[in-house]
Amino acid sequence: HDTYTPYDIIIIAPSEPDNILYSRYFTGRFLSLCCKVLAPDGLLYVPTMYDTDRYVSPETAQLLSVIYKTLHHWFRCIDIWPGNTTGFLASGADLFELYNEQIFDRIDSLPYQAEYLNRYYLEDQLDSFRRERIWNAIDTTVQANAIEKPILMPYHAVYSSLTLGSDESIMRFLFANKFVLWIVPIIIFALFFLTYFKGIKHQTFGLFLFFTAGLLSLSLELVSVYLYQTMAGTVYSDIGLLFGAFMFGLALGTWYALRCEAPNLEFPSLLLLITISFIFLWSYATIPYSILLLYYILFLFVTGTATGTLFVAAAGRYYFGRADANRGKGYAIEIFGSAIGALLAVPVLLPLVGLSVLLISLMAVAALALIGAYKTS
């Protein structure tokens, strides 16, 4: 609406930020909307599920630091109330220049008695020692959570993994050790050189094209679904349309490639994947909500079309002259690439390196496949 009454207070209880649905409340897109609808001296209150009543663990401190940094980017004044459910209060005005006694007197003057918001509860929770302890634990140098780099989800995963020793070891290996970033390029280059120099190059390189098709298609598919859910919310009918658009494009690309029987179809398909990825990286943040679904449907349709064409080109290379050969090996390599994309692209690499680096890396893989295909054609 053009006119509206600003809110004096907004309370959000996003639950555990362990998925896209809830972690998107701790992003600039959502917080900027809160700033627009809050009154100039309005207040945002965010209760969290993290316990700082008696002790602030390193994992809890890390999570609270990220939330604080994210809020502080949009609100000038931030206060933290310790307790079993640590709360954040954020405002653009100096609302926190009150002594505790003034707060208690105002509560006592209310015509009703709240169960938790009373003098005795707050006097315990706002104890100076507790407040100092939690502020000392906050690290203001951490990165803020963002749509482009959702670091809150893996930090929460590490926090949740403390209940099981094996889970904790896995999560810390993935997110605390930066050398995990080298696993993916090592796999890609090993497969590239193995298929480039082994046997008849124009045939064996078809296996790398299979891998590239699987890796790029599923990575781009999951990245686009993540971004759509973050910006538009979890609408299951819409997600069905997105997956359907990708599969329809996959079928159309495969059918077209088989029908036209043109040589070297890997060239236009790889160039199309690079181009559509670049356009997506350049434009995704500027798309208005009214055409958001159409934008992602078109992106996934084109991605699916290019991938389907690349599948046929890879099969044409590797199985050249063997029309009756079993396609199991090529399909297995393609599934392996898809597995790498599903397991690492969004869950691990997106929080570690960010969206821009991830998409540029995927374009680099497509460019590597394009160079290899040209050299072996």
Side-chain angles (χ1 to χ4, degrees):
H1 299 287
D2 294 331
T3 61
Y4 63 91
T5 302
Y7 292 100
D8 293 322
I9 183 170
I10 295 176
I11 302 174
I12 58 172
S15 187
E16 299 183 12
D18 58 353
N19 57 64
I20 297 170
L21 179 62
Y22 297 128
S23 66
R24 65 195 179 100
Y25 292 112
F26 298 101
T27 62
R29 184 180 181 88
F30 177 78
L31 294 176
S32 64
L33 294 175
C34 289
C35 292
K36 290 179 180 178
V37 299
L38 270 175
D41 57 351
L43 178 70
L44 175 70
Y45 176 58
V46 185
T48 71
M49 48 83 65
Y50 306 115
D51 186 358
T52 55
D53 192 38
R54 295 287 181 266
Y55 170 68
V56 183
S57 68
E59 293 77 18
T60 301
Q62 190 175 48
L63 283 161
L64 296 178
S65 299
V66 173
I67 295 173
Y68 168 81
K69 189 73 172 184
T70 306
L71 290 171
H72 197 265
H73 183 77
W74 295 95
F75 296 92
R76 186 163 58 89
C77 297
I78 308 291
D79 200 7
I80 308 175
W81 282 13
N84 295 324
T85 55
T86 305
F88 285 84
L89 299 98
S91 177
D94 296 324
L95 299 180
F96 310 122
E97 301 300 323
L98 293 175
Y99 295 105
N100 287 354
E101 283 300 324
Q102 291 177 287
I103 298 175
F104 302 151
D105 291 341
R106 291 188 180 188
I107 292 174
D108 290 340
S109 66
L110 295 175
Y112 58 88
Q113 185 70 34
E115 183 175 356
Y116 291 107
L117 196 63
N118 57 62
R119 171 183 289 268
Y120 305 104
Y121 176 79
L122 287 182
E123 193 171 34
D124 182 53
Q125 296 306 117
L126 300 181
D127 176 73
S128 59
F129 174 75
R130 291 187 177 187
R131 290 169 63 83
E132 184 178 355
R133 180 178 59 198
I134 194 171
W135 276 111
N136 287 338
I138 295 294
D139 180 7
T140 58
T141 64
V142 299
Q143 287 185 309
N145 190 62
I147 293 175
E148 296 78 11
K149 196 171 184 180
I151 61 175
L152 194 59
M153 283 192 291
Y155 285 168
H156 181 82
V158 173
Y159 170 86
S160 301
S161 70
L162 296 176
T163 54
L164 289 175
S166 58
D167 286 354
E168 182 184 5
S169 300
I170 294 172
M171 298 311 300
R172 289 189 181 280
F173 171 78
L174 290 175
F175 298 113
N177 300 302
K178 297 302 183 182
F179 65 81
V180 72
L181 295 174
W182 291 101
I183 295 177
V184 179
I186 288 174
I187 293 174
I188 292 173
F189 279 108
L191 187 59
F192 175 85
F193 287 112
L194 184 64
T195 57
Y196 186 86
F197 292 107
K198 182 180 178 181
I200 304 174
K201 288 191 292 185
H202 79 273
Q203 286 188 268
T204 55
F205 194 74
L207 291 177
F208 187 77
L209 296 179
F210 273 117
F211 173 83
T212 302
L215 176 67
L216 267 61
S217 62
L218 205 58
S219 296
L220 292 173
E221 186 178 11
L222 292 179
V223 164
S224 61
V225 170
Y226 157 75
L227 286 172
Y228 181 78
Q229 287 186 294
T230 302
M231 295 179 177
T234 304
V235 184
Y236 292 104
S237 59
D238 291 355
I239 300 302
L241 288 173
L242 296 180
F243 282 120
F246 175 80
M247 298 306 295
F248 184 71
L250 195 66
L252 183 62
T254 304
W255 174 82
Y256 172 78
L258 286 171
R259 184 178 177 84
C260 73
E261 297 182 353
N264 299 322
L265 283 173
E266 58 271 28
F267 298 149
S269 59
L270 287 168
L271 285 171
L272 183 56
L273 283 170
I274 294 172
T275 303
I276 194 66
S277 299
F278 176 79
I279 294 174
F280 182 77
L281 176 61
W282 170 71
S283 64
Y284 79 93
T286 63
I287 304 302
Y289 182 81
S290 58
I291 61 170
L292 199 63
L293 180 59
L294 177 62
Y295 171 84
Y296 280 93
I297 285 176
L298 289 175
F299 170 73
L300 284 173
F301 174 76
V302 175
T303 301
T305 302
T307 303
T309 306
L310 187 57
F311 284 162
V312 175
R317 268 182 175 258
Y318 187 65
Y319 297 104
F320 181 76
R322 296 177 290 162
D324 298 329
N326 187 291
R327 300 298 199 266
K329 189 173 184 179
Y331 186 61
I333 295 295
E334 184 270 326
I335 293 296
F336 175 65
S338 298
I340 296 293
L343 292 172
L344 294 180
V346 172
V348 178
L349 296 179
L350 183 63
L352 286 176
V353 302
L355 180 64
S356 297
V357 175
L358 175 58
L359 288 176
I360 291 172
S361 299
L362 293 175
M363 285 186 275
V365 173
L368 180 66
L370 187 63
I371 294 171
Y374 174 75
K375 292 292 187 181
T376 58
S377 61

